[in-house]
């Protein structure tokens, strides 16, 4: 691929300070873990700046220099903290070796427009770094939970055996507890009974509402839409309290029907939003053509409209299912012990006994959520292809 902008080597005064700044950022985390963040910043900046200079000005051969960087930082990491720090040293060595030559050779300019000023180029990459840092900040708590679920002890922290990657420090005991416990399995079956029923109601009512509100002749469309999606906006504790008082009067409090209806009300806004977004690219002349051919509204809906908006309907249904399956606040208000769902059981485990089985359950839920979101993304791309749009 031809570069957009001719690239050339950069002076030492440019790339060494940039690598030093990246080293200071990495040193902040390492130093904080060792008890001194300020010292980590100082050592990280000086060592990585010096490393960049040696790699590019002394060794010069990129392949040899990058391998030397990996080996050097891996050895230092092993000396300081054993196997875990060795792994971290390998990662840092690979990154800083690549980063030093990426800046030194000027490759960062290869994929940007030639007319961009240095400040615009800086913002181009700074914006991506900021987005990456936000992603890491959001996803790190999830990534920490997953290895902890294999802890052989009843702790919520990494044991010395786990940090040494000792096989004796890891176990599937918490997963065994989850699958063998009657309390946990009862909660799972409650969630399995409630979530699909709530999803079915959400998809049915949400799809009909989205189709109706997409018609231009419907009066007060915006006001009705605002009311229907209000469960997404109103704080959940307020919705739960209101449902509790209402259900207590009509006899639905503490019943499966009440929990299903409550979760359906929370899932309907997701269905409305996704189906409405799908209807934006829908060609309404198709429904008029079907009507001209003698099809009644029901036939037109199932034979013409539904196949084209189906990806949006399924996406909304998946979001509604996730909302119902993960919800805990509303079920605490409108449910009873007989309707204890999986999130409720997790909440109880945290409040009463600090059971590490929660970590295993959380890992399973994360995997399920990732699979469902992958399906949503595939459906979104399919919907855009059906409407003749680019997935990008």
């Amino acid at each position: 691929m031809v570069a957009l902008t001719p690239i050339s080597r950069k002076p030492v005064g440019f790339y060494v300070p940039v690598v030093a700044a990246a080293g200071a950022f990495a040193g902040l985390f390492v130093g904080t873990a060792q008890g001194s963040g300020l010292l980590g910043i100082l050592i990280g900046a000086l060592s990585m700046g010096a490393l960049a200079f040696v790699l590019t000005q002394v060794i010069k051969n990129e392949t040899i220099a990058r391998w030397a960087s990996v080996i050097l930082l891996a050895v230092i990491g092993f000396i300081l903290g054993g196997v875990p720090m060795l792994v971290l040293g390998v990662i840092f060595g690979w990154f800083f070796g690549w980063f030093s030559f990426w800046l030194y050779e000027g490759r960062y300019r290869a994929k940007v427009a030639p007319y961009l000023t240095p400040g615009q180029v800086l913002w181009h990459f700074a914006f991506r770094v900021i987005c990456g840092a936000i992603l890491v900040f959001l996803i790190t708590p999830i990534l920490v939970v997953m290895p902890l679920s294999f802890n052989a002890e009843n702790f919520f922290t990494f044991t010395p055996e786990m940090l040494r990657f000792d096989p004796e420090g890891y176990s599937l005991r918490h997963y065994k507890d989850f699958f063998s416990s009657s309390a946990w399995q009862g909660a799972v079956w409650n969630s399995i009974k409630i979530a699909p029923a709530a999803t079915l109601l959400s998809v049915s009512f949400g799809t009909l509402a989205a189709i109706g509100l997409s018609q231009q002749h419907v009066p007060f469309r915006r006001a009705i839409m605002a009311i229907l999606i209000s469960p997404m906006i109103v704080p959940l504790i307020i919705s739960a309290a209101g449902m509790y008082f209402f259900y207590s009067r009509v006899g639905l409090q503490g019943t499966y029907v009440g929990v299903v209806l409550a979760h359906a009300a929370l899932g309907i806004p997701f269905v409305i939003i996704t189906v409405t977004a799908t209807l934006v690219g829908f060609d309404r002349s198709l429904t008029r053509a079907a009507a001209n051919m003698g099809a009644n509204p029901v036939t037109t809906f199932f034979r013409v409209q539904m196949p084209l908006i189906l990806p949006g309907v399924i996406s909304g249904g998946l979001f509604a299912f996730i909302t119902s399956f993960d919800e805990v606040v509303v079920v605490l208000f409108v449910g009873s012990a007989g309707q204890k769902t999986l999130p409720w059981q997790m909440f109880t485990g945290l409040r009463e006994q600090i059971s590490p089985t929660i970590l295993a359950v959380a890992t399973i839920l994360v995997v399920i959520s990732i699979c469902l979101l992958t399906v949503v993304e595939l459906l979104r791309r399919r919907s855009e292809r059906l409407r003749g749009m680019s997935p990008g």
Side-chain angles (χ1 to χ4, degrees), residues 149-169:
S149 66
F150 298 98
N151 193 344
E153 304 294 336
N154 290 324
F155 301 135
F156 275 73
T157 58
F158 289 97
T159 61
E161 291 79 10
M162 295 184 70
L163 295 177
R164 291 197 304 266
F165 293 100
D166 186 348
E168 294 184 358

Side-chain angles (χ1 to χ4, degrees), residues 311-348:
V313 174
I314 297 177
S315 298
L318 289 175
F319 280 116
F321 180 84
I322 294 173
T323 300
S324 175
F325 202 85
D326 291 343
E327 202 283 322
V328 65
V329 177
V330 170
V331 75
L332 284 173
F333 275 80
V334 303
S336 64
Q339 295 86 45
K340 183 179 289 187
T341 59
L342 189 57
W344 186 349
Q345 181 65 30
M346 295 175 69
F347 176 78
T348 302

